[in-house]
Amino acid sequence: MSDPESEAASGRDRTRAHIVSVAARLLASGGRDALSTRAVAAAAGTQAPTIYRLFGDKEGLLDAVAEYGFSSYLRDKKASPPADDPVEALRSGWDLHVGFGLANPALFSLMYGDPTPGRQSPAAVAAFRMLGERIRAIAAAGRLKVGERLAADLVHAAGCGTVFTLLALPEERRDPRLSEVARDAAIAAITTDAPAVEAPGPAAAAMALSAALPDATALTDGERHVLGEWLDRLAADGSA
């Protein structure tokens, strides 16, 4: 026997997904200005009140489209096979990020061009988490020379800045070497050529151990937290 409430919820989900997909196509063809509530409703074959009921307001719709874009981006990243070398994996991730931005300029601008402090979509959080995982793999290999958060923030900032710089140029003036040089400079700023744990001093060893700390199941959560703070202090002292 069917459940009317479940069927109603499924219907809402399908309608919502359809509207977001239509809005994403309008964004790709006409930019952000094309995403008026009236235009989206007409293209989706629905009424404006339906959009307000499902998304709250236009900003809610824009958030949903941005999340849709992040989800597409994440599918592309997950489809890319990881490299054996964690630094090469980060390099490949950079190239995918820049390629996605250049192929989807309006969507990329919606996703990254209007940041709101303290507020991110779940997909945005997942995207940054994936970057963090790649940075952590470098740290675990003993090749990270700054803290993990600083490294992730630097790569994220440099990658987004590169995309926006290229998008601001006419296509015929876009030099692919800009991305390559920016990528290599960012990677050089946070990594070492050889495992840093071979160098004297506790800082590099602290970074590598900090990366592996979540797997230290012999410790309690509280013990891991305290040890993590100590390791962060050692790592920061070595990179000062």
Side-chain angles (χ1 to χ4, degrees):
M1 184 176 179
S2 62
D3 182 348
E5 291 187 4
S6 296
E7 291 181 356
S10 297
R12 285 194 299 270
D13 289 344
R14 287 193 296 270
T15 300
R16 190 179 191 279
H18 173 63
I19 291 172
V20 170
S21 178
V22 168
R25 291 199 297 270
L26 287 176
L27 177 69
S29 62
R32 186 165 179 164
D33 290 342
L35 289 185
S36 69
T37 304
R38 185 185 301 273
V40 173
T46 187
Q47 302 296 321
T50 301
I51 293 179
Y52 290 117
R53 186 172 67 252
L54 292 173
F55 301 97
D57 54 20
K58 183 178 177 180
E59 288 304 313
L61 175 61
L62 292 176
D63 286 346
V65 175
E67 187 170 342
Y68 175 86
F70 270 116
S71 297
S72 300
Y73 171 58
L74 290 176
R75 283 196 298 271
D76 289 342
K77 291 197 76 167
K78 289 177 180 178
S80 177
D84 293 334
D85 183 337
V87 176
E88 286 302 316
L90 180 61
R91 184 174 281 109
S92 297
W94 173 290
D95 292 342
L96 183 61
H97 177 82
V98 172
F100 177 84
L102 296 181
N104 304 275
L107 182 55
F108 190 90
S109 295
L110 179 61
M111 291 159 56
Y112 290 104
D114 190 18
T116 302
R119 182 170 174 268
Q120 287 182 304
S121 72
V125 172
F128 193 83
R129 185 182 301 120
M130 289 184 69
L131 171 60
E133 289 171 355
R134 294 193 175 187
I135 295 296
R136 173 152 293 182
I138 295 173
R143 295 183 61 186
L144 195 66
K145 62 184 181 184
V146 299
E148 291 181 37
R149 182 63 195 224
L150 175 59
D153 285 341
L154 187 150
V155 171
H156 177 73
C160 289
T162 296
V163 174
F164 283 124
T165 298
L166 289 170
L167 288 176
L169 296 171
E171 287 192 40
E172 64 274 11
R173 288 186 52 203
R174 294 176 188 172
D175 188 342
R177 290 175 299 178
L178 174 63
S179 177
E180 295 169 4
V181 171
R183 177 198 64 200
D184 293 345
I187 290 176
I190 65 172
T191 65
T192 60
D193 291 333
V197 289
E198 295 177 358
M207 291 180 192
L209 180 55
S210 179
L213 194 57
D215 298 325
T217 56
L219 301 177
T220 66
D221 290 342
E223 289 168 339
R224 280 195 296 272
H225 178 74
V226 172
L227 179 55
E229 290 185 342
W230 292 343
L231 292 172
D232 287 345
R233 287 168 56 188
L234 285 171
D237 181 64
S239 59

mmCIF file with all atom_site columns, all heavy atoms in Angstrom, residues 17-31 35 40 61 64-66 68-69 72 104 106-107 110:
data_model
loop_
_atom_site.group_PDB
_atom_site.id
_atom_site.type_symbol
_atom_site.label_atom_id
_atom_site.label_alt_id
_atom_site.label_comp_id
_atom_site.label_asym_id
_atom_site.label_entity_id
_atom_site.label_seq_id
_atom_site.pdbx_PDB_ins_code
_atom_site.Cartn_x
_atom_site.Cartn_y
_atom_site.Cartn_z
_atom_site.occupancy
_atom_site.B_iso_or_equiv
_atom_site.pdbx_formal_charge
_atom_site.auth_seq_id
_atom_site.auth_comp_id
_atom_site.auth_asym_id
_atom_site.auth_atom_id
_atom_site.pdbx_PDB_model_num
ATOM 1   N N   . ALA A 1 17  ? 14.285 19.136 -8.079  1.00 0.00 ? 17  ALA A N   1
ATOM 2   C CA  . ALA A 1 17  ? 15.434 18.769 -8.915  1.00 0.00 ? 17  ALA A CA  1
ATOM 3   C C   . ALA A 1 17  ? 15.267 19.298 -10.334 1.00 0.00 ? 17  ALA A C   1
ATOM 4   O O   . ALA A 1 17  ? 16.226 19.755 -10.967 1.00 0.00 ? 17  ALA A O   1
ATOM 5   C CB  . ALA A 1 17  ? 15.609 17.252 -8.923  1.00 0.00 ? 17  ALA A CB  1
ATOM 6   N N   . HIS A 1 18  ? 14.038 19.231 -10.862 1.00 0.00 ? 18  HIS A N   1
ATOM 7   C CA  . HIS A 1 18  ? 13.770 19.725 -12.208 1.00 0.00 ? 18  HIS A CA  1
ATOM 8   C C   . HIS A 1 18  ? 14.012 21.230 -12.283 1.00 0.00 ? 18  HIS A C   1
ATOM 9   O O   . HIS A 1 18  ? 14.654 21.722 -13.231 1.00 0.00 ? 18  HIS A O   1
ATOM 10  C CB  . HIS A 1 18  ? 12.330 19.402 -12.601 1.00 0.00 ? 18  HIS A CB  1
ATOM 11  C CG  . HIS A 1 18  ? 11.896 20.013 -13.899 1.00 0.00 ? 18  HIS A CG  1
ATOM 12  N ND1 . HIS A 1 18  ? 12.489 19.686 -15.107 1.00 0.00 ? 18  HIS A ND1 1
ATOM 13  C CD2 . HIS A 1 18  ? 10.944 20.961 -14.174 1.00 0.00 ? 18  HIS A CD2 1
ATOM 14  C CE1 . HIS A 1 18  ? 11.916 20.391 -16.077 1.00 0.00 ? 18  HIS A CE1 1
ATOM 15  N NE2 . HIS A 1 18  ? 10.985 21.165 -15.532 1.00 0.00 ? 18  HIS A NE2 1
ATOM 16  N N   . ILE A 1 19  ? 13.528 21.972 -11.302 1.00 0.00 ? 19  ILE A N   1
ATOM 17  C CA  . ILE A 1 19  ? 13.704 23.426 -11.300 1.00 0.00 ? 19  ILE A CA  1
ATOM 18  C C   . ILE A 1 19  ? 15.187 23.793 -11.212 1.00 0.00 ? 19  ILE A C   1
ATOM 19  O O   . ILE A 1 19  ? 15.668 24.684 -11.925 1.00 0.00 ? 19  ILE A O   1
ATOM 20  C CB  . ILE A 1 19  ? 12.912 24.054 -10.141 1.00 0.00 ? 19  ILE A CB  1
ATOM 21  C CG1 . ILE A 1 19  ? 11.408 23.920 -10.409 1.00 0.00 ? 19  ILE A CG1 1
ATOM 22  C CG2 . ILE A 1 19  ? 13.285 25.525 -9.965  1.00 0.00 ? 19  ILE A CG2 1
ATOM 23  C CD1 . ILE A 1 19  ? 10.544 24.350 -9.231  1.00 0.00 ? 19  ILE A CD1 1
ATOM 24  N N   . VAL A 1 20  ? 15.932 23.103 -10.363 1.00 0.00 ? 20  VAL A N   1
ATOM 25  C CA  . VAL A 1 20  ? 17.365 23.385 -10.217 1.00 0.00 ? 20  VAL A CA  1
ATOM 26  C C   . VAL A 1 20  ? 18.098 23.093 -11.524 1.00 0.00 ? 20  VAL A C   1
ATOM 27  O O   . VAL A 1 20  ? 18.958 23.874 -11.962 1.00 0.00 ? 20  VAL A O   1
ATOM 28  C CB  . VAL A 1 20  ? 17.969 22.561 -9.066  1.00 0.00 ? 20  VAL A CB  1
ATOM 29  C CG1 . VAL A 1 20  ? 19.491 22.667 -9.074  1.00 0.00 ? 20  VAL A CG1 1
ATOM 30  C CG2 . VAL A 1 20  ? 17.419 23.036 -7.726  1.00 0.00 ? 20  VAL A CG2 1
ATOM 31  N N   . SER A 1 21  ? 17.756 21.988 -12.175 1.00 0.00 ? 21  SER A N   1
ATOM 32  C CA  . SER A 1 21  ? 18.392 21.644 -13.447 1.00 0.00 ? 21  SER A CA  1
ATOM 33  C C   . SER A 1 21  ? 18.099 22.694 -14.513 1.00 0.00 ? 21  SER A C   1
ATOM 34  O O   . SER A 1 21  ? 18.988 23.110 -15.262 1.00 0.00 ? 21  SER A O   1
ATOM 35  C CB  . SER A 1 21  ? 17.904 20.267 -13.906 1.00 0.00 ? 21  SER A CB  1
ATOM 36  O OG  . SER A 1 21  ? 18.470 19.927 -15.155 1.00 0.00 ? 21  SER A OG  1
ATOM 37  N N   . VAL A 1 22  ? 16.850 23.129 -14.574 1.00 0.00 ? 22  VAL A N   1
ATOM 38  C CA  . VAL A 1 22  ? 16.472 24.175 -15.531 1.00 0.00 ? 22  VAL A CA  1
ATOM 39  C C   . VAL A 1 22  ? 17.215 25.470 -15.221 1.00 0.00 ? 22  VAL A C   1
ATOM 40  O O   . VAL A 1 22  ? 17.733 26.149 -16.122 1.00 0.00 ? 22  VAL A O   1
ATOM 41  C CB  . VAL A 1 22  ? 14.944 24.400 -15.502 1.00 0.00 ? 22  VAL A CB  1
ATOM 42  C CG1 . VAL A 1 22  ? 14.575 25.668 -16.258 1.00 0.00 ? 22  VAL A CG1 1
ATOM 43  C CG2 . VAL A 1 22  ? 14.229 23.199 -16.106 1.00 0.00 ? 22  VAL A CG2 1
ATOM 44  N N   . ALA A 1 23  ? 17.276 25.851 -13.948 1.00 0.00 ? 23  ALA A N   1
ATOM 45  C CA  . ALA A 1 23  ? 17.968 27.074 -13.555 1.00 0.00 ? 23  ALA A CA  1
ATOM 46  C C   . ALA A 1 23  ? 19.453 27.004 -13.905 1.00 0.00 ? 23  ALA A C   1
ATOM 47  O O   . ALA A 1 23  ? 20.042 28.010 -14.329 1.00 0.00 ? 23  ALA A O   1
ATOM 48  C CB  . ALA A 1 23  ? 17.791 27.320 -12.062 1.00 0.00 ? 23  ALA A CB  1
ATOM 49  N N   . ALA A 1 24  ? 20.057 25.842 -13.745 1.00 0.00 ? 24  ALA A N   1
ATOM 50  C CA  . ALA A 1 24  ? 21.474 25.681 -14.086 1.00 0.00 ? 24  ALA A CA  1
ATOM 51  C C   . ALA A 1 24  ? 21.691 25.886 -15.581 1.00 0.00 ? 24  ALA A C   1
ATOM 52  O O   . ALA A 1 24  ? 22.689 26.489 -16.000 1.00 0.00 ? 24  ALA A O   1
ATOM 53  C CB  . ALA A 1 24  ? 21.964 24.304 -13.655 1.00 0.00 ? 24  ALA A CB  1
ATOM 54  N N   . ARG A 1 25  ? 20.755 25.403 -16.412 1.00 0.00 ? 25  ARG A N   1
ATOM 55  C CA  . ARG A 1 25  ? 20.873 25.598 -17.864 1.00 0.00 ? 25  ARG A CA  1
ATOM 56  C C   . ARG A 1 25  ? 20.708 27.079 -18.220 1.00 0.00 ? 25  ARG A C   1
ATOM 57  O O   . ARG A 1 25  ? 21.434 27.604 -19.072 1.00 0.00 ? 25  ARG A O   1
ATOM 58  C CB  . ARG A 1 25  ? 19.843 24.754 -18.599 1.00 0.00 ? 25  ARG A CB  1
ATOM 59  C CG  . ARG A 1 25  ? 20.112 23.254 -18.534 1.00 0.00 ? 25  ARG A CG  1
ATOM 60  C CD  . ARG A 1 25  ? 19.361 22.504 -19.620 1.00 0.00 ? 25  ARG A CD  1
ATOM 61  N NE  . ARG A 1 25  ? 17.918 22.629 -19.461 1.00 0.00 ? 25  ARG A NE  1
ATOM 62  C CZ  . ARG A 1 25  ? 17.182 21.777 -18.748 1.00 0.00 ? 25  ARG A CZ  1
ATOM 63  N NH1 . ARG A 1 25  ? 17.762 20.763 -18.101 1.00 0.00 ? 25  ARG A NH1 1
ATOM 64  N NH2 . ARG A 1 25  ? 15.877 21.936 -18.651 1.00 0.00 ? 25  ARG A NH2 1
ATOM 65  N N   . LEU A 1 26  ? 19.757 27.756 -17.565 1.00 0.00 ? 26  LEU A N   1
ATOM 66  C CA  . LEU A 1 26  ? 19.584 29.188 -17.811 1.00 0.00 ? 26  LEU A CA  1
ATOM 67  C C   . LEU A 1 26  ? 20.835 29.959 -17.397 1.00 0.00 ? 26  LEU A C   1
ATOM 68  O O   . LEU A 1 26  ? 21.256 30.904 -18.084 1.00 0.00 ? 26  LEU A O   1
ATOM 69  C CB  . LEU A 1 26  ? 18.377 29.716 -17.031 1.00 0.00 ? 26  LEU A CB  1
ATOM 70  C CG  . LEU A 1 26  ? 16.992 29.322 -17.540 1.00 0.00 ? 26  LEU A CG  1
ATOM 71  C CD1 . LEU A 1 26  ? 15.915 29.842 -16.588 1.00 0.00 ? 26  LEU A CD1 1
ATOM 72  C CD2 . LEU A 1 26  ? 16.750 29.852 -18.948 1.00 0.00 ? 26  LEU A CD2 1
ATOM 73  N N   . LEU A 1 27  ? 21.429 29.565 -16.290 1.00 0.00 ? 27  LEU A N   1
ATOM 74  C CA  . LEU A 1 27  ? 22.645 30.217 -15.819 1.00 0.00 ? 27  LEU A CA  1
ATOM 75  C C   . LEU A 1 27  ? 23.760 30.051 -16.843 1.00 0.00 ? 27  LEU A C   1
ATOM 76  O O   . LEU A 1 27  ? 24.486 31.001 -17.156 1.00 0.00 ? 27  LEU A O   1
ATOM 77  C CB  . LEU A 1 27  ? 23.063 29.616 -14.477 1.00 0.00 ? 27  LEU A CB  1
ATOM 78  C CG  . LEU A 1 27  ? 24.367 30.150 -13.878 1.00 0.00 ? 27  LEU A CG  1
ATOM 79  C CD1 . LEU A 1 27  ? 24.200 31.600 -13.430 1.00 0.00 ? 27  LEU A CD1 1
ATOM 80  C CD2 . LEU A 1 27  ? 24.810 29.281 -12.691 1.00 0.00 ? 27  LEU A CD2 1
ATOM 81  N N   . ALA A 1 28  ? 23.891 28.847 -17.386 1.00 0.00 ? 28  ALA A N   1
ATOM 82  C CA  . ALA A 1 28  ? 24.960 28.574 -18.353 1.00 0.00 ? 28  ALA A CA  1
ATOM 83  C C   . ALA A 1 28  ? 24.774 29.380 -19.636 1.00 0.00 ? 28  ALA A C   1
ATOM 84  O O   . ALA A 1 28  ? 25.748 29.834 -20.247 1.00 0.00 ? 28  ALA A O   1
ATOM 85  C CB  . ALA A 1 28  ? 25.007 27.080 -18.666 1.00 0.00 ? 28  ALA A CB  1
ATOM 86  N N   . SER A 1 29  ? 23.531 29.570 -20.049 1.00 0.00 ? 29  SER A N   1
ATOM 87  C CA  . SER A 1 29  ? 23.281 30.253 -21.321 1.00 0.00 ? 29  SER A CA  1
ATOM 88  C C   . SER A 1 29  ? 23.165 31.763 -21.197 1.00 0.00 ? 29  SER A C   1
ATOM 89  O O   . SER A 1 29  ? 23.520 32.497 -22.120 1.00 0.00 ? 29  SER A O   1
ATOM 90  C CB  . SER A 1 29  ? 22.002 29.703 -21.965 1.00 0.00 ? 29  SER A CB  1
ATOM 91  O OG  . SER A 1 29  ? 20.871 29.945 -21.133 1.00 0.00 ? 29  SER A OG  1
ATOM 92  N N   . GLY A 1 30  ? 22.678 32.241 -20.043 1.00 0.00 ? 30  GLY A N   1
ATOM 93  C CA  . GLY A 1 30  ? 22.428 33.671 -19.914 1.00 0.00 ? 30  GLY A CA  1
ATOM 94  C C   . GLY A 1 30  ? 23.073 34.354 -18.745 1.00 0.00 ? 30  GLY A C   1
ATOM 95  O O   . GLY A 1 30  ? 22.865 35.555 -18.532 1.00 0.00 ? 30  GLY A O   1
ATOM 96  N N   . GLY A 1 31  ? 23.837 33.626 -17.945 1.00 0.00 ? 31  GLY A N   1
ATOM 97  C CA  . GLY A 1 31  ? 24.473 34.228 -16.785 1.00 0.00 ? 31  GLY A CA  1
ATOM 98  C C   . GLY A 1 31  ? 23.510 34.404 -15.635 1.00 0.00 ? 31  GLY A C   1
ATOM 99  O O   . GLY A 1 31  ? 22.327 34.046 -15.709 1.00 0.00 ? 31  GLY A O   1
ATOM 100 N N   . LEU A 1 35  ? 18.556 34.374 -14.168 1.00 0.00 ? 35  LEU A N   1
ATOM 101 C CA  . LEU A 1 35  ? 17.916 33.577 -13.125 1.00 0.00 ? 35  LEU A CA  1
ATOM 102 C C   . LEU A 1 35  ? 16.880 34.380 -12.335 1.00 0.00 ? 35  LEU A C   1
ATOM 103 O O   . LEU A 1 35  ? 16.880 34.360 -11.104 1.00 0.00 ? 35  LEU A O   1
ATOM 104 C CB  . LEU A 1 35  ? 18.965 33.008 -12.168 1.00 0.00 ? 35  LEU A CB  1
ATOM 105 C CG  . LEU A 1 35  ? 19.860 31.908 -12.730 1.00 0.00 ? 35  LEU A CG  1
ATOM 106 C CD1 . LEU A 1 35  ? 20.761 31.354 -11.633 1.00 0.00 ? 35  LEU A CD1 1
ATOM 107 C CD2 . LEU A 1 35  ? 19.040 30.793 -13.333 1.00 0.00 ? 35  LEU A CD2 1
ATOM 108 N N   . VAL A 1 40  ? 12.795 31.475 -14.503 1.00 0.00 ? 40  VAL A N   1
ATOM 109 C CA  . VAL A 1 40  ? 12.996 30.083 -14.105 1.00 0.00 ? 40  VAL A CA  1
ATOM 110 C C   . VAL A 1 40  ? 11.664 29.343 -14.059 1.00 0.00 ? 40  VAL A C   1
ATOM 111 O O   . VAL A 1 40  ? 11.544 28.210 -14.533 1.00 0.00 ? 40  VAL A O   1
ATOM 112 C CB  . VAL A 1 40  ? 13.713 29.999 -12.744 1.00 0.00 ? 40  VAL A CB  1
ATOM 113 C CG1 . VAL A 1 40  ? 13.769 28.554 -12.251 1.00 0.00 ? 40  VAL A CG1 1
ATOM 114 C CG2 . VAL A 1 40  ? 15.123 30.573 -12.841 1.00 0.00 ? 40  VAL A CG2 1
ATOM 115 N N   . LEU A 1 61  ? 17.112 29.698 -4.138  1.00 0.00 ? 61  LEU A N   1
ATOM 116 C CA  . LEU A 1 61  ? 17.259 29.046 -5.442  1.00 0.00 ? 61  LEU A CA  1
ATOM 117 C C   . LEU A 1 61  ? 18.711 29.112 -5.912  1.00 0.00 ? 61  LEU A C   1
ATOM 118 O O   . LEU A 1 61  ? 19.259 28.112 -6.400  1.00 0.00 ? 61  LEU A O   1
ATOM 119 C CB  . LEU A 1 61  ? 16.339 29.718 -6.465  1.00 0.00 ? 61  LEU A CB  1
ATOM 120 C CG  . LEU A 1 61  ? 16.472 29.230 -7.919  1.00 0.00 ? 61  LEU A CG  1
ATOM 121 C CD1 . LEU A 1 61  ? 16.139 27.747 -8.030  1.00 0.00 ? 61  LEU A CD1 1
ATOM 122 C CD2 . LEU A 1 61  ? 15.562 30.052 -8.828  1.00 0.00 ? 61  LEU A CD2 1
ATOM 123 N N   . ALA A 1 64  ? 20.758 26.606 -4.167  1.00 0.00 ? 64  ALA A N   1
ATOM 124 C CA  . ALA A 1 64  ? 20.516 25.254 -4.676  1.00 0.00 ? 64  ALA A CA  1
ATOM 125 C C   . ALA A 1 64  ? 21.254 25.029 -5.988  1.00 0.00 ? 64  ALA A C   1
ATOM 126 O O   . ALA A 1 64  ? 21.805 23.942 -6.225  1.00 0.00 ? 64  ALA A O   1
ATOM 127 C CB  . ALA A 1 64  ? 19.016 25.022 -4.860  1.00 0.00 ? 64  ALA A CB  1
ATOM 128 N N   . VAL A 1 65  ? 21.285 26.046 -6.849  1.00 0.00 ? 65  VAL A N   1
ATOM 129 C CA  . VAL A 1 65  ? 22.015 25.917 -8.117  1.00 0.00 ? 65  VAL A CA  1
ATOM 130 C C   . VAL A 1 65  ? 23.512 25.806 -7.858  1.00 0.00 ? 65  VAL A C   1
ATOM 131 O O   . VAL A 1 65  ? 24.213 25.015 -8.498  1.00 0.00 ? 65  VAL A O   1
ATOM 132 C CB  . VAL A 1 65  ? 21.704 27.111 -9.043  1.00 0.00 ? 65  VAL A CB  1
ATOM 133 C CG1 . VAL A 1 65  ? 22.552 27.045 -10.309 1.00 0.00 ? 65  VAL A CG1 1
ATOM 134 C CG2 . VAL A 1 65  ? 20.226 27.123 -9.422  1.00 0.00 ? 65  VAL A CG2 1
ATOM 135 N N   . ALA A 1 66  ? 24.015 26.593 -6.894  1.00 0.00 ? 66  ALA A N   1
ATOM 136 C CA  . ALA A 1 66  ? 25.433 26.503 -6.550  1.00 0.00 ? 66  ALA A CA  1
ATOM 137 C C   . ALA A 1 66  ? 25.769 25.114 -6.028  1.00 0.00 ? 66  ALA A C   1
ATOM 138 O O   . ALA A 1 66  ? 26.800 24.531 -6.376  1.00 0.00 ? 66  ALA A O   1
ATOM 139 C CB  . ALA A 1 66  ? 25.783 27.564 -5.506  1.00 0.00 ? 66  ALA A CB  1
ATOM 140 N N   . TYR A 1 68  ? 24.193 22.380 -6.743  1.00 0.00 ? 68  TYR A N   1
ATOM 141 C CA  . TYR A 1 68  ? 24.125 21.511 -7.925  1.00 0.00 ? 68  TYR A CA  1
ATOM 142 C C   . TYR A 1 68  ? 25.457 21.566 -8.680  1.00 0.00 ? 68  TYR A C   1
ATOM 143 O O   . TYR A 1 68  ? 25.988 20.543 -9.111  1.00 0.00 ? 68  TYR A O   1
ATOM 144 C CB  . TYR A 1 68  ? 22.982 21.974 -8.816  1.00 0.00 ? 68  TYR A CB  1
ATOM 145 C CG  . TYR A 1 68  ? 22.845 21.256 -10.134 1.00 0.00 ? 68  TYR A CG  1
ATOM 146 C CD1 . TYR A 1 68  ? 22.126 20.066 -10.238 1.00 0.00 ? 68  TYR A CD1 1
ATOM 147 C CD2 . TYR A 1 68  ? 23.408 21.781 -11.289 1.00 0.00 ? 68  TYR A CD2 1
ATOM 148 C CE1 . TYR A 1 68  ? 21.990 19.411 -11.451 1.00 0.00 ? 68  TYR A CE1 1
ATOM 149 C CE2 . TYR A 1 68  ? 23.275 21.143 -12.511 1.00 0.00 ? 68  TYR A CE2 1
ATOM 150 C CZ  . TYR A 1 68  ? 22.562 19.957 -12.588 1.00 0.00 ? 68  TYR A CZ  1
ATOM 151 O OH  . TYR A 1 68  ? 22.432 19.318 -13.803 1.00 0.00 ? 68  TYR A OH  1
ATOM 152 N N   . GLY A 1 69  ? 26.005 22.785 -8.814  1.00 0.00 ? 69  GLY A N   1
ATOM 153 C CA  . GLY A 1 69  ? 27.288 22.920 -9.490  1.00 0.00 ? 69  GLY A CA  1
ATOM 154 C C   . GLY A 1 69  ? 28.411 22.234 -8.751  1.00 0.00 ? 69  GLY A C   1
ATOM 155 O O   . GLY A 1 69  ? 29.243 21.548 -9.347  1.00 0.00 ? 69  GLY A O   1
ATOM 156 N N   . SER A 1 72  ? 28.210 18.500 -9.293  1.00 0.00 ? 72  SER A N   1
ATOM 157 C CA  . SER A 1 72  ? 28.749 18.111 -10.594 1.00 0.00 ? 72  SER A CA  1
ATOM 158 C C   . SER A 1 72  ? 30.271 18.102 -10.550 1.00 0.00 ? 72  SER A C   1
ATOM 159 O O   . SER A 1 72  ? 30.925 17.200 -11.071 1.00 0.00 ? 72  SER A O   1
ATOM 160 C CB  . SER A 1 72  ? 28.262 19.078 -11.680 1.00 0.00 ? 72  SER A CB  1
ATOM 161 O OG  . SER A 1 72  ? 26.860 19.073 -11.776 1.00 0.00 ? 72  SER A OG  1
ATOM 162 N N   . ASN A 1 104 ? 32.765 26.250 -17.197 1.00 0.00 ? 104 ASN A N   1
ATOM 163 C CA  . ASN A 1 104 ? 31.476 26.640 -16.611 1.00 0.00 ? 104 ASN A CA  1
ATOM 164 C C   . ASN A 1 104 ? 31.619 27.992 -15.910 1.00 0.00 ? 104 ASN A C   1
ATOM 165 O O   . ASN A 1 104 ? 31.476 28.076 -14.685 1.00 0.00 ? 104 ASN A O   1
ATOM 166 C CB  . ASN A 1 104 ? 31.016 25.571 -15.605 1.00 0.00 ? 104 ASN A CB  1
ATOM 167 C CG  . ASN A 1 104 ? 30.929 24.190 -16.214 1.00 0.00 ? 104 ASN A CG  1
ATOM 168 O OD1 . ASN A 1 104 ? 29.936 23.821 -16.811 1.00 0.00 ? 104 ASN A OD1 1
ATOM 169 N ND2 . ASN A 1 104 ? 31.991 23.408 -16.047 1.00 0.00 ? 104 ASN A ND2 1
ATOM 170 N N   . ALA A 1 106 ? 29.844 30.868 -15.624 1.00 0.00 ? 106 ALA A N   1
ATOM 171 C CA  . ALA A 1 106 ? 28.753 31.441 -14.839 1.00 0.00 ? 106 ALA A CA  1
ATOM 172 C C   . ALA A 1 106 ? 28.514 30.640 -13.568 1.00 0.00 ? 106 ALA A C   1
ATOM 173 O O   . ALA A 1 106 ? 28.293 31.199 -12.486 1.00 0.00 ? 106 ALA A O   1
ATOM 174 C CB  . ALA A 1 106 ? 27.479 31.503 -15.674 1.00 0.00 ? 106 ALA A CB  1
ATOM 175 N N   . LEU A 1 107 ? 28.558 29.324 -13.693 1.00 0.00 ? 107 LEU A N   1
ATOM 176 C CA  . LEU A 1 107 ? 28.354 28.467 -12.533 1.00 0.00 ? 107 LEU A CA  1
ATOM 177 C C   . LEU A 1 107 ? 29.503 28.628 -11.545 1.00 0.00 ? 107 LEU A C   1
ATOM 178 O O   . LEU A 1 107 ? 29.292 28.713 -10.328 1.00 0.00 ? 107 LEU A O   1
ATOM 179 C CB  . LEU A 1 107 ? 28.230 27.013 -12.984 1.00 0.00 ? 107 LEU A CB  1
ATOM 180 C CG  . LEU A 1 107 ? 27.955 25.969 -11.912 1.00 0.00 ? 107 LEU A CG  1
ATOM 181 C CD1 . LEU A 1 107 ? 26.705 26.322 -11.125 1.00 0.00 ? 107 LEU A CD1 1
ATOM 182 C CD2 . LEU A 1 107 ? 27.807 24.592 -12.546 1.00 0.00 ? 107 LEU A CD2 1
ATOM 183 N N   . LEU A 1 110 ? 29.066 31.793 -9.632  1.00 0.00 ? 110 LEU A N   1
ATOM 184 C CA  . LEU A 1 110 ? 28.025 31.659 -8.617  1.00 0.00 ? 110 LEU A CA  1
ATOM 185 C C   . LEU A 1 110 ? 28.539 30.873 -7.419  1.00 0.00 ? 110 LEU A C   1
ATOM 186 O O   . LEU A 1 110 ? 28.241 31.190 -6.262  1.00 0.00 ? 110 LEU A O   1
ATOM 187 C CB  . LEU A 1 110 ? 26.807 30.954 -9.212  1.00 0.00 ? 110 LEU A CB  1
ATOM 188 C CG  . LEU A 1 110 ? 25.624 30.706 -8.265  1.00 0.00 ? 110 LEU A CG  1
ATOM 189 C CD1 . LEU A 1 110 ? 25.082 32.034 -7.735  1.00 0.00 ? 110 LEU A CD1 1
ATOM 190 C CD2 . LEU A 1 110 ? 24.530 29.930 -8.982  1.00 0.00 ? 110 LEU A CD2 1
#
